[in-house]
Amino acid sequence: MKRWNGWGDDAFVYAVPRSAAGFLEEVLGPATPPRDATLSEAVATVPASRLPPHPLVETDPVGRVGHARGQSLPDWIALRSGRIPAFPDGVAYPTTGQQVRELLSYAEQVGARLIPYGGGSSVVGHVNVLPGEAPVLTVDLTRMNQLLDLDEVSHLATFGAGIYGPDLEAQLRAHGLTLGHFPQSFELSTLGGWIVTCSNGQQSLGYGRIEALFAGGRLESPGGTVVLPPFPASAAGPDLREVVLGSEGRLGVLTEATVRIRPVPPQEEFRGVMFPDSERGQAAVREMMQARQPLSMLRLSTPTETETNLAMAGHEPAISWLKRFLRLRSIGDERCMLILGITGSETSVQCGRDEALAVAREHGGVHLGQLFGKEWRKSRFRSPYLRNTLWEAGYALDTLETGTTWRNIPRLLQAIEQALRPGLMDIGERVFVFSHLSHTYPWGSNIYTTYLYRIPANGDPDETLRRWQVLKTAASEAIVAGGGTITHQHGIGTDHLPYLLREKGALGVATLHDLCQRFDPHGIMNPGKLVSRDA
Ligand SMILES: Cc1cc2nc3c(=O)[nH]c(=O)nc-3n(C[C@H](O)[C@H](O)[C@H](O)COP(=O)(O)OP(=O)(O)OC[C@H]3O[C@@H](n4cnc5c(N)ncnc54)[C@H](O)[C@@H]3O)c2cc1C
C-alpha cells in the first residue's frame, strides 16, 4: 500500500548496510530516531468539511489526510509530525471528462478552490492545501487511467491523464511500444502530472523531455475546453501545448493526453566509467553531447557523490579492491563515476558504446564494464526509498536541482554546495552535500544536489523545518545569483515561487498571471502555486 507519510509502497524497505550507517555517523554525527505520528493521530486532527454534499465528493478524513501534502521535505515534516496545517475539505475521483466539468462547476458555485492531483509526488508544494477561508476540493485523477486510442501507424497513444507510469508502460509494452519517460518517481507519478510540471525522465537524453513527447490533449478549464490536436508540427502562431506544459494545475485539468511513442528498442545497456576528477569527467560528457553521440543517459557524480555511493553500496572488500585497482590506473580520491546508458538497435548501441568509451579514454576515464550500470538500473526507482530509512534513523534528506550552460557549470555547482555546507554552522550542525549532472545537453546540463542534516534530537518539527528553510533559501539564492534556472525539472509550486520574478521578469510574470485569469476568471484553480495573484 502507498505510504501515507513517506515515499512508495510500504511493503518495501530500503535497508542500509551497517558500513553505510557508520559512514553517515562519520559525516554527520550520530542521530536520534524521531517519533512519527500515527495515521490515527493525524486523522484525529482533520476538521469537519466545509463543502456541501455532492455525489462525486468524498469527505472521509483518511482520504483528506492522504491528499493534504506531496513529497517535499516540508511535506514530510508536516505528515511525520502529524502537524498538518490544512486539509482538503473533500476529494473527488472522476472517471470522465464530463465529471471533471461537473466538479469545476460545483467548485465555482460553492466558492471552493480546486486542486488537481495526480500521483502527489510533487516536491515543491504543488498539491498542498494552503490555509484559507474558502473550502478546498482536491480532484484525484488516477481513475482516469485508460488507454483511449492507440494509433500504431502514427506512433501516437492517447491516455486518461491520471494514468500512473507503470500502467502506461505496461499498456504500451503489450504492443511492443514504449513512451520512454522514466522519472525517478515513475511508480507513483502520472502522465498529467508529468506534463503540467515539465518533468524529465532519467533517459530523456534518448527519448526526449516530456515537452518533446506531449503531442496534444484536452484541458477542461473553468473558462472552457481547450483541445490540442496532435499535429506533427504547426506554424499556426504560438503553440498552445507550451501553455499547458508547466501550468501546474493553474489553468485547468488535463483530462486526456496524446503522447509520441516508439517501438521498444531492441537493446539497452548501462556502463560505468571512472574519471580521475570532475574536470575531466565534465569535459568528456560535454564532448559526448556536442558530438551528438547516440546515448540515452549520462549521469556524472562529483567525487563526494561517488564516494558516498560506494560507501552506501556496502560491499566493502569489493570496493577496496576497486580502489586499489583504480590507484594503479592513476585514479585516486578525486575520482568521479559516470554511468552511461545506450539504447537502440544492436548497431547503434555498438556504435554509441565505442564512440562514448573512446571519448572517455581520451579524458583519462577507465571503463568499469556493466556492473555499476546494472546496479544503477536495479535501484533506479528504489533509491528514493532510502529517504524513508534515513528519516527513521534521524537524518533528513532533500534534493534540489537547476540547469545552466556548460561554461557556468563548475562555478554554479561549487556555489550551491558552498551555500549549503556551512548552512547550519551557527548551531554546530554539519550538512552533508553532494551532486551529479544527469540531464545533459550540447549547451549545458542540470545540476542535481542532495543534502542531508540531522533531525534535532528532541524531534522538534519546527526546528527541522527551520533548518530546511535556511538551507533551501541559501541554495536557491546561490542558484538565481549564479545564473541557473530555479528549476530544471521539479517546477515552481510554492517553494520556488519567490524566485520566479527574477527568472521571468515583471512582464513575464504578469503574462502568466493574465493567462491564469483568462482560463480561470474566478481564481479557483490551485491558487498560490506557480504565480502569485498579487504579482
Ligand atoms: C522520489 C521522487 C523522485 C522524483 N523524480 C523526478 C524525476 O526524475 N524527474 C522529474 O521531473 N520529477 C521528479 N520528481 C518530481 C515529481 O515526481 C514530478 O513533478 C511529477 O511530474 C509529478 O507528477 P504527479 O502525477 O505526481 O503530480 P502531482 O504531484 O499530483 O501534481 C503536480 C502538479 O500537477 C498538477 N496536476 C497533476 N495532474 C494534473 C492534471 N491531470 N491536470 C492538471 N493539473 C494536474 C497538480 O495540481 C500539481 O500542481 C520526483 C519526485 C519524487 C518524490
Side-chain angles (χ1 to χ4, degrees):
M1 216 166 66
K2 188 175 167 183
R3 268 192 186 81
W4 73 276
N5 63 354
W7 178 250
D9 184 334
D10 58 12
F12 180 76
V13 174
Y14 193 122
V16 176
R18 203 197 301 258
S19 58
F23 175 79
L24 278 175
E25 279 202 25
E26 201 181 302
V27 294
L28 284 174
T32 313
R35 181 201 167 272
D36 289 339
T38 61
L39 178 58
S40 324
E41 284 167 340
V43 164
T45 67
V46 178
S49 170
R50 296 168 293 179
L51 282 171
H54 184 284
L56 291 173
V57 178
E58 298 181 10
T59 56
D60 71 288
V62 174
R64 291 171 61 198
V65 171
H67 291 84
R69 303 294 289 238
Q71 287 290 328
S72 69
L73 189 52
D75 295 340
W76 274 44
I77 296 168
L79 294 167
R80 297 251 177 188
S81 65
R83 285 165 47 175
I84 306 163
F87 300 88
D89 291 271
V91 183
Y93 303 85
T95 54
T96 63
Q98 186 49 40
Q99 289 184 345
V100 170
R101 285 236 65 89
E102 261 180 63
L103 291 164
L104 289 169
S105 306
Y106 163 79
E108 275 199 324
Q109 272 160 24
V110 304
R113 306 288 176 250
L114 189 150
I115 303 179
Y117 191 100
S121 69
S122 160
V123 284
V124 292
H126 283 125
V127 291
N128 292 359
V129 178
L130 307 177
E133 301 279 295
V136 174
L137 171 64
T138 290
V139 176
D140 180 320
L141 294 150
T142 55
R143 292 187 194 164
M144 299 187 69
N145 57 5
Q146 304 298 309
L147 173 60
L148 303 172
D149 184 45
L150 182 61
D151 176 352
E152 293 195 58
V153 175
S154 317
H155 281 185
L156 292 168
T158 304
F159 290 95
I163 190 165
Y164 281 116
D167 296 338
L168 177 146
E169 275 298 321
Q171 300 248 29
L172 292 176
R173 299 256 163 170
H175 299 270
L177 297 161
T178 181
L179 175 62
H181 190 73
F182 304 112
Q184 200 184 38
S185 56
F186 177 69
E187 286 178 319
L188 287 172
S189 56
T190 64
L191 175 59
W194 298 341
I195 293 165
V196 306
T197 60
C198 284
S199 98
N200 217 351
Q202 289 165 335
Q203 288 168 271
S204 64
L205 184 52
Y207 291 101
R209 283 171 65 98
I210 200 72
E211 293 96 304
L213 302 173
F214 174 48
R218 190 179 177 93
L219 183 83
E220 300 294 352
S221 79
T225 301
V226 180
V227 177
L228 302 165
F231 299 128
S234 163
D239 190 344
L240 290 181
R241 285 174 319 136
E242 296 285 348
V243 169
V244 173
L245 284 159
S247 58
E248 302 192 357
R250 286 299 311 264
L251 303 183
V253 179
L254 189 66
T255 54
E256 295 175 13
T258 302
V259 284
R260 297 170 177 149
I261 53 176
R262 67 183 78 197
V264 177
Q267 207 168 323
E268 176 160 84
E269 57 186 47
F270 296 94
R271 293 176 173 268
V273 175
M274 197 71 89
F275 288 95
D277 52 46
S278 282
E279 207 176 299
R280 279 179 271 186
Q282 283 178 23
V285 166
R286 193 179 66 238
E287 197 175 316
M288 289 173 199
M289 288 313 307
Q290 291 175 344
R292 311 294 202 267
Q293 290 190 347
L295 302 167
S296 62
M297 192 192 78
L298 285 169
R299 180 189 163 122
L300 180 71
S301 298
T302 55
T304 310
E305 182 171 289
T306 302
E307 196 52 32
T308 306
N309 288 346
L310 293 178
M312 298 303 278
H315 309 293
E316 278 173 289
I319 300 295
S320 309
W321 179 89
L322 173 71
K323 287 180 182 172
R324 280 200 305 276
F325 163 76
L326 288 169
R327 255 183 219 112
L328 294 175
R329 309 285 303 267
S330 309
I331 296 188
D333 291 345
E334 288 304 303
R335 61 190 156 251
C336 64
M337 169 100 84
L338 171 70
I339 302 290
L340 59 91
I342 322 160
T343 307
S345 66
E346 207 175 309
T347 328
S348 67
V349 167
Q350 192 180 337
C351 166
R353 180 200 309 137
D354 292 349
E355 286 180 17
L357 293 179
V359 171
R361 268 194 306 276
E362 277 164 29
H363 292 274
V366 172
H367 180 208
L368 303 175
Q370 294 197 56
L371 182 67
F372 286 98
K374 282 185 177 156
E375 277 300 309
W376 174 83
R377 188 197 330 231
K378 210 164 75 187
S379 64
R380 64 189 294 185
F381 306 126
R382 293 291 181 183
S383 29
Y385 285 80
L386 179 59
R387 219 172 142 204
N388 298 323
T389 314
L390 293 176
W391 177 280
E392 282 146 26
Y395 299 103
L397 180 153
D398 193 22
T399 60
L400 46 88
E401 40 84 45
T402 179
T404 192
T405 51
W406 279 118
R407 194 170 55 178
N408 198 30
I409 285 280
R411 198 173 36 215
L412 185 58
L413 195 154
Q414 198 183 26
I416 296 167
E417 294 199 346
Q418 281 181 353
L420 287 166
R421 215 165 267 132
L424 302 179
M425 217 159 60
D426 59 329
I427 53 166
E429 286 294 323
R430 282 175 271 171
V431 182
F432 186 54
V433 188
F434 49 87
S435 306
H436 63 251
L437 313 183
S438 51
H439 295 283
T440 48
Y441 309 86
W443 316 274
S445 171
N446 76 331
I447 299 171
Y448 191 98
T449 300
T450 302
Y451 60 99
L452 290 100
Y453 61 92
R454 288 194 299 186
I455 297 167
N458 64 5
D460 178 9
D462 292 335
E463 174 59 14
T464 312
L465 184 62
R466 190 196 69 80
R467 291 179 187 185
W468 173 82
Q469 272 158 344
V470 167
L471 296 172
K472 178 76 178 174
T473 306
S476 302
E477 285 295 337
I479 286 171
V480 290
T485 168
I486 189 61
T487 171
H488 166 269
Q489 65 195 56
H490 287 161
I492 296 294
T494 50
D495 297 353
H496 293 150
L497 201 148
Y499 305 95
L500 192 69
L501 183 64
R502 277 149 84 183
E503 180 155 334
K504 301 272 189 221
L507 181 58
V509 170
T511 307
L512 291 177
H513 183 249
D514 290 351
L515 262 178
C516 292
Q517 247 172 349
R518 165 61 60 180
F519 280 76
D520 174 26
H522 304 297
I524 68 166
M525 297 300 306
N526 207 8
K529 323 291 167 57
L530 177 63
V531 58
S532 144
R533 289 251 135 216
D534 38 57

